[in-house]
Amino acid sequence: MAELGTIHIMPIGVDVGHVKTAIREPRYWPIRKIYLIHSPDNSKDKLEQIAKKLQKDLQKTGNIVVLKKLSATGAFEMNSILDEITKIEREEHGDDATPLSDIVVNVTGGTNMMAVASLWAASSLKLDAYY
């Protein structure tokens, strides 16, 4: 029997306000797990540190939060993001050809390419997407 609740996949960048807004949306409650897709730290932005802080903040509210780090250029590469979202879907559903509609993809955060790739991945995997 599948666990109840939704799995949220959320690309993030410097601004993470959309994540906190999204988890307050009752349409996708209860939340079972949150995946945050992020870039590594660079000289300008400490993106991995932002992701780790957000993870800790969300875990304090009882959420299971998993970080998925892209390569240094991954946030600007369509295939990198598509591959990561596909891997998450496979981790959660395995080879089940008809999984429950329990995964939702937030297309709000990160780079423009992350948003486009997230929408594309959601569509191709038949997952719900929201902004």
Side-chain angles (χ1 to χ4, degrees), residues 2 49 57 80-81 84:
Q49 297 309 308
D57 290 347
S80 238
I81 300 142
E84 198 58 53

Side-chain angles (χ1 to χ4, degrees), residues 9-16 18-19 35-42 45 47-48 50-51 54 66-86 88 104-123 128-131:
I9 301 173
M10 300 187 187
I12 62 169
V14 174
D15 181 10
V16 295
H18 71 284
V19 174
Y35 285 90
L36 300 175
I37 300 175
H38 65 90
S39 296
D41 289 343
N42 61 39
D45 298 309
L47 299 164
E48 187 169 3
I50 291 168
L54 180 59
V66 179
L67 299 180
K68 295 291 187 173
K69 181 168 59 170
L70 298 169
S71 69
T73 59
F76 302 97
E77 298 169 349
M78 177 76 75
N79 285 338
S80 238
I81 300 142
L82 291 172
D83 289 348
E84 198 58 53
I85 293 173
T86 300
I88 293 168
V104 295
V105 181
N106 185 299
V107 299
T108 311
T111 63
N112 288 342
M113 184 56 71
M114 290 173 90
V116 170
S118 295
L119 191 56
W120 190 345
S123 177
D128 284 343
Y130 65 99
Y131 181 81

